[in-house]
Amino acid sequence: MEETKYWKWLSMVFGTGSRRVWEIMCLFETAPEAYKVLTEHSFPVSLDEREQENVDSITLKQAEDELEKYRKNGIGAVGYSDSRYPEQLRYLFNPPSVLYYKGNIDCLCGTKTITSVGTRNASEYGLRAASVICGELAAKHVVIVSGFAVGIDIASHLAAAEKGFPTVCVMGCGVDVNYPKPNEKYRDVILANGGVFISEYPPETQPLPQNFPKRNRILAALGRVSLVFEASQKSGSLITARLAAEQGREVFVIPPSDIFDSRFSGNAELLSEGASLLLGSENIMDCFRFGSPVEIEIRNGTKGGYSLKSTGIVWEGRSAVIKERTEITEIPVGKPKKVRKKTEKTQQSVSETETETEIKPSEEFSDDGLTDIQQKIVREIGNGKLHADEICTRLDLDSAVLMTELTELEILGKIRSLPGKMYETEK
């Protein structure tokens, strides 16, 4: 789609996975409009020195050239407004502005999907459960989504691919990077059976450790149901499952084979917190029955269009909060300047009014990539385990703001959640 080059330009200016893209985009209807206004300096958007330098130095032609280079190497790209962009990702707080893919990305469009997660060092029981259940689901035309790691991930992928069905591999590196090496031999069979490798990271991006926790939010969102086969208490699988639950997805967990086996401690914890017991593929297919919330979601999924409502950001204090774009009337930070902005009037056509707004960078980032608010939260939790409500009180934060920041801190591996909305820092 023609607009993808503009989304690529925005990601080059503000960085892959940066929330700044959406802080900026809440003021514009389209990516081309944002590009035009930013490059013409015709809108009072305050950028920091690095961002302004990028706006002035990175051209749209560079974005086009990058996309063309990827295309020649068999790698596609879809921007947020592309009709082929997976609908499930539109409802993330910080969705990828561009998704890169190798293979058949259309297998994610309007289909039943499940996310399968589990440990790399999996038991025979965990591997067998993943292979049998994912194979049965694939045969019922459910697309299996996983992270292409050794262990449970690759068992889930191969259960689909070896029977001739598509599967989706969500990477924490470029889709052209052969990682992990032991799984390189499975790439061709996955692609040959209609599967796809996707990533928010541009081609040639290496598998840096910090990429994978961020990747997990995409894993959690793509599956309309999440399955946990084997997870220890501090595993990425546990974080992915919790992210899925926070996104309103149902989480199913197989029962531990041994209650004393630490490899299943995460399974036991999730079950104690209310996750559904997974005893076979029929449990999952019930979620997709006609008239169920998931089936209605698939059937009513937007085709060929998009809305920025799902990623609208407004400010409460100094923090971004998910709200609908239609609620945005002003952004009360910084020195106000006049800007023409559309407002709706009941039963009347849209008129132009003068509104004073300015958007500035939300936070200064520390060397470890944390915002000011995130640093304060980590400091508070560092003094001992704290309940979410107590953190709200101490830092005078709105609960919606806090939950957003806690989720990101958990993804970054700075804190971990405990039963009963308690939190502690990672040791």
Side-chain angles (χ1 to χ4, degrees):
M1 189 176 182
E2 181 65 17
E3 284 192 17
T4 294
K5 63 185 179 185
Y6 294 97
W7 291 106
K8 172 63 176 175
W9 181 84
L10 285 167
S11 72
M12 292 170 73
V13 168
F14 296 104
T16 300
S18 172
R19 285 187 293 179
R20 281 292 283 158
V21 171
W22 301 109
E23 291 170 7
I24 297 298
M25 282 305 299
C26 74
L27 297 177
F28 302 102
E29 293 292 339
T30 66
E33 179 191 357
Y35 167 78
K36 184 175 186 296
V37 171
L38 288 170
T39 54
E40 292 178 354
H41 309 290
S42 57
F43 194 86
V45 178
S46 291
L47 305 176
D48 63 29
E49 186 176 342
R50 181 188 62 82
E51 291 171 343
Q52 189 60 65
E53 181 180 334
N54 287 345
V55 167
D56 293 336
S57 62
I58 298 173
T59 66
L60 190 62
K61 179 66 163 54
Q62 287 176 278
E64 289 179 297
D65 289 345
E66 286 288 297
L67 293 173
E68 178 60 18
K69 181 178 74 173
Y70 305 153
R71 189 190 65 78
K72 288 179 178 178
N73 291 322
I75 297 169
V78 287
Y80 182 84
S81 56
D82 196 303
S83 60
R84 302 173 77 193
Y85 188 95
E87 189 68 21
Q88 302 96 301
L89 296 185
R90 298 196 193 282
Y91 305 98
L92 281 175
F93 170 65
N94 181 24
S97 53
V98 180
L99 267 183
Y100 305 95
Y101 66 92
K102 188 176 183 67
N104 174 32
I105 196 171
D106 292 333
C107 71
L108 275 167
C109 181
T111 55
K112 303 167 187 171
T113 55
I114 65 98
T115 291
S116 171
V117 296
T119 184
R120 291 172 172 79
N121 182 29
S123 65
E124 183 179 347
Y125 164 68
L127 291 170
R128 181 167 175 267
S131 181
V132 171
I133 293 175
C134 288
E136 291 176 354
L137 289 171
K140 295 171 183 175
H141 304 287
V142 176
V143 174
I144 310 300
V145 180
S146 199
F148 199 61
V150 297
I152 296 295
D153 286 7
I154 195 62
S156 303
H157 290 308
L158 292 179
E162 290 180 346
K163 293 181 179 180
F165 296 101
T167 183
V168 179
C169 307
V170 185
M171 310 295 285
C173 55
V175 295
D176 59 337
V177 176
N178 285 324
Y179 179 85
K181 288 291 185 183
N183 289 351
E184 181 179 354
K185 59 182 176 289
Y186 302 125
R187 281 179 166 258
D188 287 344
V189 70
I190 287 172
L191 292 173
N193 287 285
V196 65
F197 290 80
I198 67 172
S199 179
E200 70 176 324
Y201 298 103
E204 300 182 8
T205 300
Q206 294 305 302
L208 302 176
Q210 62 266 30
N211 294 355
F212 292 89
K214 292 182 178 179
R215 179 276 310 264
N216 288 352
R217 79 190 195 286
I218 299 174
L219 261 178
L222 283 176
R224 301 180 192 273
V225 179
S226 284
L227 315 185
V228 179
F229 286 100
E230 191 168 334
S232 61
Q233 206 160 30
K234 292 188 176 183
S235 65
S237 300
L238 205 59
I239 294 176
T240 304
R242 290 202 170 105
L243 287 171
E246 288 172 9
Q247 293 168 21
R249 303 303 192 193
E250 187 159 3
V251 177
F252 284 83
V253 182
I254 66 167
S257 62
D258 181 348
I259 61 172
F260 302 108
D261 189 338
S262 62
R263 289 178 295 185
F264 291 93
S265 57
N267 295 47
E269 187 172 319
L270 288 170
L271 288 168
S272 70
E273 292 173 357
S276 299
L277 187 63
L278 175 59
L279 297 175
S281 60
E282 62 278 1
N283 296 143
I284 309 306
M285 293 310 298
D286 188 55
C287 294
F288 296 109
R289 71 186 184 282
F290 184 79
S292 69
V294 174
E295 189 274 336
I296 292 171
E297 175 188 315
I298 296 170
R299 186 155 33 96
N300 294 342
T302 302
K303 300 295 189 298
Y306 77 102
S307 168
L308 286 176
K309 287 184 178 181
S310 58
T311 56
I313 297 176
V314 296
W315 299 99
E316 293 186 4
R318 296 279 296 171
S319 294
V321 186
I322 306 172
K323 291 199 177 175
E324 288 195 350
R325 184 183 176 89
T326 51
E327 295 178 5
I328 299 173
T329 55
E330 63 176 329
I331 301 175
V333 294
K335 182 180 177 181
K337 295 182 181 180
K338 287 187 177 181
V339 19
R340 298 188 67 78
K341 185 172 178 60
K342 294 180 181 178
T343 59
E344 289 187 7
K345 293 184 178 180
T346 307
Q347 303 300 325
Q348 295 181 19
S349 60
V350 176
S351 63
E352 295 288 329
T353 64
E354 292 289 333
T355 305
E356 296 186 347
T357 67
E358 182 180 20
I359 186 166
K360 301 182 74 173
S362 56
E363 300 281 355
E364 293 298 322
F365 285 81
S366 62
D367 290 339
D368 58 1
L370 302 186
T371 65
D372 290 341
I373 274 186
Q374 290 170 347
Q375 292 175 65
K376 290 176 183 177
I377 292 171
V378 171
R379 281 197 293 270
E380 288 294 333
I381 298 175
N383 295 325
K385 298 176 184 177
L386 278 181
H387 191 277
D389 293 345
E390 178 64 20
I391 303 171
C392 281
T393 301
R394 291 190 185 188
L395 298 180
D396 191 25
L397 290 175
D398 178 87
S399 59
V401 174
L402 178 67
M403 295 314 295
T404 297
E405 301 298 348
L406 287 173
T407 298
E408 184 152 333
L409 285 169
E410 192 169 5
I411 291 173
L412 293 171
K414 301 298 181 182
I415 65 171
R416 67 184 300 261
S417 61
L418 304 170
K421 295 180 70 175
M422 298 293 290
Y423 292 85
E424 67 178 4
T425 54
E426 282 286 7
K427 307 303 182 187

